[in-house]
Amino acid sequence: LYSMEMNDCPSGGFTFDLCKRNAWLEANNASGAIMKKAKKTGTTIAGIIFKDGVIIGADTRATEGPIVADKNCEKIHYLAPNIFCGGAGTSADCENVTEMMSSNLTLHRLNTGRECRVTTAVTMLAQYLFRLLTFTQLFFFLN
């Protein structure tokens, strides 16, 4: 749709240069296309990887459409001593799934005698969520 010169094309990753890109796209909108506006909905979960570990952060507001249902909702859940996850979706479903996964990972840790790996948690969670595919709307971010 839009042609940019290589000098004008922003690089990937998190950068505020995308604001310049958006302004350029709006200014050079020759086709008259309607530009999309930002939509402020949903959960915000972010993670940062550094040399010695990972940091997860999330907002605490639970909404029901435009109404704030809970201002202090926990969205970072414990799964194992070395694994936490950030969850978004229906709060009750998210809480029940993470409690069940935490129990299953505890049983796995006791049976094997070792700490659970993140890949084990991801596989178990993916298999469980696939069975619930038509009943829930959950999104998880594991670290």
Side-chain angles (χ1 to χ4, degrees):
L1 293 178
Y2 301 102
S3 62
M4 296 173 123
E5 294 181 22
M6 290 306 287
N7 309 5
D8 297 335
C9 188
S11 62
F14 183 78
T15 175
F16 287 103
D17 291 340
L18 293 180
C19 294
K20 294 177 187 174
R21 180 199 65 131
N22 292 344
W24 185 88
L25 287 173
E26 287 177 358
N28 295 310
N29 187 5
S31 64
I34 298 171
M35 302 299 288
K36 299 227 178 217
K37 299 293 181 193
K39 190 173 184 182
K40 298 179 183 179
T41 61
T43 295
T44 301
I45 300 172
I48 299 173
I49 301 171
F50 61 99
K51 178 182 156 196
D52 296 324
V54 177
I55 297 174
I56 304 174
D59 67 331
T60 59
R61 190 168 59 176
T63 58
E64 293 179 19
I67 300 168
V68 176
D70 185 4
K71 290 183 180 179
N72 202 14
C73 177
E74 291 189 16
K75 296 182 182 177
I76 298 177
H77 304 277
Y78 169 87
L79 293 181
N82 60 329
I83 303 171
F84 286 81
C85 74
T90 307
S91 298
D93 289 340
C94 194
E95 195 67 35
N96 288 333
V97 168
T98 54
E99 284 180 16
M100 189 274 314
M101 286 304 304
S102 179
S103 298
N104 285 350
L105 289 172
T106 300
L107 289 172
H108 185 270
R109 187 174 71 248
L110 294 172
N111 283 334
T112 61
R114 298 181 303 185
E115 290 294 324
C116 297
R117 295 174 31 178
V118 175
T119 55
T120 304
V122 169
T123 302
M124 291 171 72
L125 184 60
Q127 290 172 348
Y128 184 73
L129 289 176
F130 186 75
R131 288 191 301 253
L132 298 176
L133 193 61
T134 58
F135 302 110
T136 61
Q137 184 176 357
L138 298 172
F139 305 94
F140 288 99
F141 177 81
L142 266 71
N143 282 318

